[in-house]
Amino acid sequence: MIEMNNVYKVYENGVTALNGISTTIDNGEFVYVVGQSGAGKSSFIKLMYREETPSKGQVKINHVDIGDMKDKQVPYLRRSIGVIFQDFKLLPKLTIYENVAFALEVIEENPRKIRRRVMDVLDKVGLKHKARFIPAQLSGGEQQRVAIARAIVNNPKIVIADEPTGNLDPDTSWEIMRIFEEVNASGTTVIMATHSKEIVNKIRRRVIAMENGQIVRDEHRGEYGYED
Amino acid sequence: MKISTLKRHFKEGAKNLIRNSWMTVAAVGAVTTTLVLVAAFLMLMLNLNQIADNIESDADIRVFIDLSAEEDDIDELGQNIGDLNRVEEFYFSSKDDELESLIEDLGEDGEAWELFEQDNPLNDVYVVETYEAEDLAGVASTIEGFSNVDDVDYGSETVDRLLQFNQYARYIGITFIAALLLTAIFLISNTIKMTITARRDEIGIMRLVGAKNSFIRWPFFVEGMLTGVIGAVIPIALVLGGYHFLYINLNDRLNFQFVELLPWNPFAWQLSLMLLAIGAFIGIWGSVMSVRKFLKV
């Protein structure tokens, strides 16, 4: 469970990104975070995997205040969260297999387990046959599927995606969404910031809409609600 | 840490060296240059230390006893000398002993002195050793104040000057070595910093998927260590070869001036090991310093 309690985020340059946010996201929920650029979506999301810490207020994951967390604890928090970005962030010199295995290697997982888990997850995203390719040989949609595979390979409780379909054409976007739905169906909380009206309006889920660093709307099975 | 993890770190560290080969050459070059200079200074300093030690252990005070002193006076003087707390040990050497050793020291020229055996003009002597060479002057002047002392001699000028020179040389050497090491660390850390920008994404992803900072740091640690160790190869070769050459060609000539170089074996080996350790140390320090700022959570 993710709880935010009157959270403010003011950056060093004086910009106020979040202006008193309070919300709760239960385990297993699927949540869209929508809003115009600069509304605070990214800051909101970054607080959850402690890329940022709140200037005021509390961010709790499973009742642990992660703002107060010691730096040493942060890696362990991140192992329970998978993060996906608009620009994939794959390592260009590594193969698809290595890119996914990387996430398990750095947490010192047993090498035999790594092989099995990586192949399993590549199968799940439909890229088992391209394990030996490097990212540049893959399409954008495929690269994003690799990034998702990397994010879910160690069975995180929460998956956070920051505009995962932002660089993809509509058809490919639906493929990505299908994977997210599967991930969510297996009990993983999915939080996704997006600008895609089509996706939000078609796959109806909870919608948190943000404006000027505040939550202006929070609806179950909500609509996108902006005219882009 | 698991063996497989350690293996991975070494593989990664070595791979990074190869991947950024030009930067590696630059960093290794920095270490090599530094260590050659450090080796030269160390060689000089350690030998100066050795020379100083020789002087210190050889140096003693010779107290010439008044020719008119009676046996009781001589005993009393001995007691007084023994009471001084900087005196390590002392012994009495009668004028006959003195003459004998003089004749011996002078070899063939000494024969002329044999004439004096009948009527020895030399003084009885107390030979006094102090704990530290630095105490010689103080003890000597104290003894000079005792009664029945004709003269006191400890080769004051030579010893004082040599000791002083040695002290300066030590300070200057240490300062130079410290400055050299800092420069090398700085150069290495900058070189690795240049390669790090390329690895920024990798570090970012590592942190994102929950790698501990120590895990991220290890390959850099290995990389720095390898840089330092490789950088030490040429300096070590120079030390082993160069000192051998010096030792063979110089030591015999120097021997006459009561100066002796540290023996090639084990000194050159010890110095080589020292260079290896210093190389690894500056390599590790430089590289760990460069990665630090990428590790803030």
Side-chain angles (χ1 to χ4, degrees):
Chain A
M1 190 165 71
I2 303 167
E3 296 164 90
M4 291 207 189
N5 204 345
N6 202 23
V7 170
Y8 288 79
K9 179 66 194 176
V10 182
Y11 287 102
E12 271 172 28
N13 58 14
V15 173
T16 303
L18 297 178
N19 208 345
I21 299 266
S22 296
T23 190
T24 303
I25 297 173
D26 284 324
N27 290 341
E29 269 198 278
F30 192 123
V31 182
Y32 294 114
V33 182
V34 302
Q36 251 111 28
S37 299
K41 300 191 299 289
S42 285
S43 299
F44 178 67
I45 276 179
K46 280 178 180 166
L47 287 173
M48 296 180 196
Y49 61 97
R50 207 180 179 278
E51 180 68 17
E52 299 289 351
T53 50
S55 311
K56 215 179 108 184
Q58 289 171 316
V59 179
K60 287 184 183 173
I61 292 191
N62 294 330
H63 311 291
V64 177
D65 187 342
I66 63 168
D68 265 0
M69 190 174 255
K70 291 208 179 83
D71 284 355
K72 276 198 160 177
Q73 296 297 320
V74 174
Y76 297 99
L77 167 75
R78 296 209 175 129
R79 289 173 193 188
S80 66
I81 300 173
V83 188
I84 295 147
F85 299 93
Q86 182 172 6
D87 59 356
F88 323 135
K89 293 205 194 297
L90 300 177
L91 294 170
K93 285 179 184 162
L94 302 187
T95 65
I96 301 314
Y97 175 87
E98 288 167 338
N99 262 285
V100 178
F102 189 72
L104 294 176
E105 274 169 17
V106 302
I107 61 173
E108 299 173 55
E109 186 57 270
N110 179 334
R112 258 176 295 162
K113 251 191 197 164
I114 292 180
R115 174 140 198 97
R116 212 182 55 227
R117 298 259 291 275
V118 172
M119 290 322 271
D120 276 356
V121 81
L122 280 179
D123 194 28
K124 199 183 259 181
V125 299
L127 286 173
K128 200 172 173 181
H129 59 294
K130 294 200 170 173
R132 286 165 183 271
F133 287 41
I134 59 164
Q137 294 171 303
L138 268 56
S139 71
E142 287 172 327
Q143 289 189 46
Q144 190 60 298
R145 273 146 64 189
V146 177
I148 295 173
R150 183 181 64 198
I152 63 174
V153 71
N154 62 343
N155 296 320
K157 297 268 176 295
I158 301 168
V159 166
I160 295 171
D162 196 353
E163 308 205 16
T165 60
N167 282 348
L168 306 176
D169 59 64
D171 285 348
T172 317
S173 299
W174 293 119
E175 255 174 58
I176 299 295
M177 288 312 294
R178 183 187 57 74
I179 297 171
F180 278 130
E181 283 193 276
E182 277 176 22
V183 169
N184 180 235
S186 69
T188 307
T189 311
V190 177
I191 297 155
M192 173 174 155
T194 183
H195 275 133
S196 171
K197 186 178 171 182
E198 294 75 24
I199 289 174
V200 176
N201 287 345
K202 178 132 188 235
I203 305 173
R204 289 294 184 91
R205 299 294 162 129
R206 179 177 171 188
V207 175
I208 292 177
M210 299 187 67
E211 252 172 56
N212 299 322
Q214 290 179 314
I215 295 177
V216 291
R217 185 158 56 86
D218 186 349
E219 297 172 335
H220 282 273
R221 305 185 64 78
E223 287 190 17
Y224 186 72
Y226 292 96
E227 289 307 318
D228 281 333
Chain B
M1 191 188 319
K2 293 181 191 164
I3 302 284
S4 63
T5 310
L6 194 65
K7 253 197 259 172
R8 179 195 182 274
H9 291 322
F10 270 87
K11 220 169 72 186
E12 280 299 306
K15 230 197 274 176
N16 282 332
L17 281 183
I18 296 165
R19 213 180 276 162
N20 307 296
S21 47
W22 279 110
M23 289 301 168
T24 305
V25 170
V28 168
V31 177
T32 302
T33 318
T34 312
L35 287 186
V36 167
L37 292 170
V38 167
F41 273 105
L42 275 177
M43 226 187 259
L44 198 67
M45 267 177 61
L46 293 173
N47 273 297
L48 281 174
N49 269 351
Q50 154 89 350
I51 292 168
D53 284 349
N54 283 347
I55 295 169
E56 283 175 15
S57 60
D58 284 353
D60 47 28
I61 303 169
R62 299 178 73 75
V63 181
F64 298 96
I65 301 164
D66 248 347
L67 291 171
S68 60
E70 300 290 330
E71 211 164 298
D72 288 350
D73 299 332
I74 293 174
D75 286 347
E76 195 192 323
L77 179 60
Q79 207 131 49
N80 287 338
I81 290 172
D83 286 346
L84 295 173
N85 54 13
R86 300 309 304 161
V87 171
E88 188 177 10
E89 59 179 13
F90 72 102
Y91 61 89
F92 178 76
S93 167
S94 71
K95 54 183 167 188
D96 295 338
D97 296 339
E98 289 291 292
L99 186 60
E100 208 173 297
S101 74
L102 184 66
I103 291 169
E104 218 169 87
D105 280 354
L106 291 176
E108 286 180 14
D109 297 336
E111 282 168 20
W113 287 82
E114 283 173 13
L115 293 173
F116 288 107
E117 274 172 0
Q118 303 312 312
D119 184 17
N120 188 343
L122 297 177
N123 301 60
D124 291 323
V125 167
Y126 273 117
V127 180
V128 181
E129 281 174 26
T130 56
Y131 287 105
E132 303 290 340
E134 284 82 5
D135 298 329
L136 286 171
V139 172
S141 77
T142 311
I143 294 176
E144 217 163 7
F146 294 159
S147 48
N148 298 309
V149 172
D150 184 23
D151 198 8
V152 176
D153 179 30
Y154 67 100
S156 53
E157 287 266 299
T158 336
V159 171
D160 279 353
R161 236 189 270 165
L162 269 169
L163 287 176
Q164 205 165 38
F165 171 74
N166 202 22
Q167 195 94 67
Y168 286 137
R170 238 180 266 188
Y171 289 146
I172 293 171
I174 287 171
T175 313
F176 263 99
I177 287 174
L180 283 169
L181 293 183
L182 284 177
T183 315
I185 288 170
F186 176 76
L187 285 173
I188 292 166
S189 99
N190 265 345
T191 315
I192 292 183
K193 229 180 250 171
M194 279 185 227
T195 70
I196 237 178
T197 15
R199 280 182 266 168
R200 234 190 171 128
D201 294 340
E202 193 174 334
I203 293 176
I205 293 167
M206 284 170 113
R207 289 178 44 219
L208 201 67
V209 296
K212 284 183 274 186
N213 275 351
S214 59
F215 184 94
I216 300 174
R217 216 181 277 126
W218 256 97
F220 288 94
F221 187 87
V222 171
E223 191 178 338
M225 192 177 68
L226 290 177
T227 304
V229 167
I230 297 170
V233 169
I234 293 176
I236 286 174
L238 282 178
V239 164
L240 290 180
Y243 196 70
H244 188 62
F245 177 82
L246 271 183
Y247 189 73
I248 286 179
N249 287 289
L250 265 184
N251 203 38
D252 286 347
R253 258 180 265 171
L254 286 177
N255 246 340
F256 292 107
Q257 280 134 48
F258 69 93
V259 169
E260 209 178 320
L261 291 178
L262 288 159
W264 187 78
N265 189 4
F267 173 67
W269 294 106
Q270 287 166 347
L271 191 57
S272 298
L273 278 179
M274 222 188 282
L275 290 178
L276 204 60
I278 295 174
F281 171 75
I282 55 180
I284 288 169
W285 194 356
S287 101
V288 167
M289 250 174 53
S290 69
V291 78
R292 215 174 34 186
K293 75 167 180 173
F294 292 98
L295 290 181
K296 66 166 181 50
V297 178

